[in-house]
Amino acid sequence: MEHVHLAAEEDDLYSGYNDYNPTFDSEELDNDAGFQQAVRTSHGRRPPMTAKFPGTAIGGRALGTSFGSRMPMASSMGRPMTGAVQDGAARPMTAVRAAGYSSAMTRGSTFDPLGQSKGPAPPLEGKSEDTPDEKVKILEKKVNDLIEESCLAHGHGDLQLSLDRAKEAGRKERALVRQREQSGNADHINLDLTYSVLFNLATQYANNDMYAEALNTYQVIVKNKMFSNAGRLKVNMANIHFKQKNYPKAIKLYRMALDQISNSHKEMRIKIMQNIGVVFIRMGQYSDAITSFEHIMSECPNIKTGFNLILCYYAIGDRERMKKAFQKLICVPLGIDEEDKYIPPNDDTHANLVIEAIKNDKLHQMERERKALAEKFIMTSAKLIAPAIEATFAAGFDWCVDMVKSSQYVELANDLEINKAITYLRQRDFNQVGAVETLKTFEKKDSRVKSAAATNLSFLYFLEKDYDQADRYADLAMTADRYNPAALINKGNTVFVKKDYEKAAEFYKEALRNDSSCTEALYNLGLTYKRLGRLEESLDCFLKLHAILRNSAQVMWQLANLFEMLEDPHQAIEWLMQLITVTPTDPQVLAKLGELYDSEGDKSQAFQYYQESFRYFPSNIDVIEWLGAYYIDTQFCEKAIQYFERATLIQPTQVKWQLMVASCYRRSGNYQKALETYKDIHRKFPENVECLRFLVRLCTDMGMKEVQDYATKLKKVEKMKEIREQRVKSAREGSTRGTRREGSASSVGTPDPVRHLPKKDSVSHPEPKHSPLLDQGRDSGHSSHGTSAKGERLSAKMRALPGSNEPYEASSQRDIDASYVDPLGAPMERPKTAAKKRNEDDDFADEELGDDLLPE
């Protein structure tokens, strides 16, 4: 107790607490021998001193506290113990170390109670991949990734890549099985993964048309009893046999799959039975197909099955059952909401936003597609059975219309009646009882039906050239539906025939604004610009149309024609070369190519195309004339004879062809044959001066007695010709004087309307309802259009035959001009030749605009 000092009440308990002891100076630790020894040896790692405990190093010592007997003891660093009595001054017991504080705090170190200044923790040690379980997991992940890549590649349309990934997944899966067996885990094989790999591989084989491999893979799955529900895959195997047209095997597998599917899967069983019925139809076993379809319609009716059932009844010719099946078809529930659901109310803003959001979502699109498919099947069924269920087509269609009016498809009744009128059109029944009368019944119906009916009526009256009625019904169709492009096209056509091309162009433009894909409006707009002389704009229209209709022969022809009018024959030839790849047997296109090459001076290419044109259509006078002149120019008169003889057969009343035959005989040196030909011509045309001149010349050269007779006839004919010419001349002079007297009474003359008729071009006309161009046909039969009308003008294009005192040389080929008739109706002007300048008035004298309808 002598070492314990009890503080008096008046004593300061904390006196000497702030006194500094140099022992605690950390900067002098380097000079502390005891501290340095503890650092270098295990002296500093000795267990701390504790209370007396048996078997410890301090077992014989007493526990030193401030309240018990304690001997002062230096620490291992030579520092005094906390709470020890120093220099006889007693102080209370304190903690060993203050929380978060140290002696270094006083020297400017940062406050860091959590020890964050030591930096981030070291990374976790990775798992070793050398263990069998880790290898198995890695392989499973690779297999799943390959299956996913295969499916994605198939979704993107890359079938070969999807098959490669499926094969690689199969190899990886087999390696996975071997890995499990080697590690002794064969009982833990992932059957789901194996099934997925094999199923994906079989599917990709089938997608790549590798049916044998697909069937083998499916067979592996089906035979493995460890796979549950693998029997359903026999449906896929049956589908492959169906594609291979192995119908008995397909039916067998469908029935095996049907037996393995329980009645709880009703929808699956219905689909399999529908497949069975389709296969029976392919095999022609309609009775068996009817059995399957009738069972489906009684259990779970649907639109496709009802349509197939009608087809089977139609095939066996059962009228009554066709009617019953049609009634069942229109009663099939579609399972879709009414369109009224999507009409927004005016007062509920929130409901309006919701309806706007769902108006065109995926579900509504699916509903519209389902409804459109049902309407298509009903319309097709009605058109199919209408002629078969009643004695007449009209009666059958009326029965179908009555049935539809009493069903949920009441709006289809009007469409059915429109189709009835169109069927009349296809049957060429334009009378009041047929198409026209049917269409007129819609004048008081709703606007959509009225517009369709008026459009078709306008088309019909346009075909009959009743342009006033056509214009009236076109206006009615536009009034009912201003956004109907077919009605606008019909209106433009009626204005076009009245030669108001600017107004017609406006209607065609409006039709294009309403429907930018309306090819008829674009075509007609190009023709209108062509009439107006705006060739560049017309060219733009036809180039746009060519981008839409890549293989349209009419568009290519118009492009070639426009480039020719723009004096670019090379581009015209390029477009015609593209055109003959589409219609290689069109004689007029080949003749046009020959004409263009002839104008470019390439006689060999021109001869090739003219020869091809003659081979496909040997009755074109222009082609025959050019070929005959070509052989005369190349001094092969014998070959020219066959062409002029054919021209004689085509135009037996034209003496010039027979004269050309005789001339060819004469030029080739066969004077006897030439004399016989001239005599035959003289018998047919006794007043022909040229024939008599050559007869006199030949008889003189050959020393024949008939020369005097022919000379006398020649003089008489020439005298009669002079008298006739004098009469014509005097008549012309009299008419000229009369015209001058009339002209003195009027200061302004009236031009000849014939001279101002436009060049013959073409206008397209819409067909009923859908407004396609009128199908007049631009084939070899149509290509001869116009040749007979121009045959009379050919006599003015050939130079007069040499007189009796002229030598027997052949005429130059450039003295013969061959004209060409546009197969679409517009006569093409070829470059003028040295023979005679073409009379522009002759091009219009025999043409009428209404006869020239554009084929499409």
Side-chain angles (χ1 to χ4, degrees), residues 185 291 310 347 678 731 750:
N185 294 328
T291 303
I310 291 176
D347 52 351
Y678 280 125
T750 302

Side-chain angles (χ1 to χ4, degrees), residues 3 95 274 653 655 843:
H3 299 288
Q274 188 169 352
T653 60
V655 67
D843 289 337

Side-chain angles (χ1 to χ4, degrees), residues 25 71 178 201 243 418 449 456 494 615 651 671 725 727 780 848:
D25 189 3
M71 297 297 294
R178 289 194 298 269
L201 181 60
K243 292 179 181 178
I418 292 287
V449 179
N456 293 337
T494 58
R615 184 164 69 90
Q651 295 182 345
Y671 299 116
E725 289 177 354
R727 290 177 180 175
S780 59
E848 294 182 5

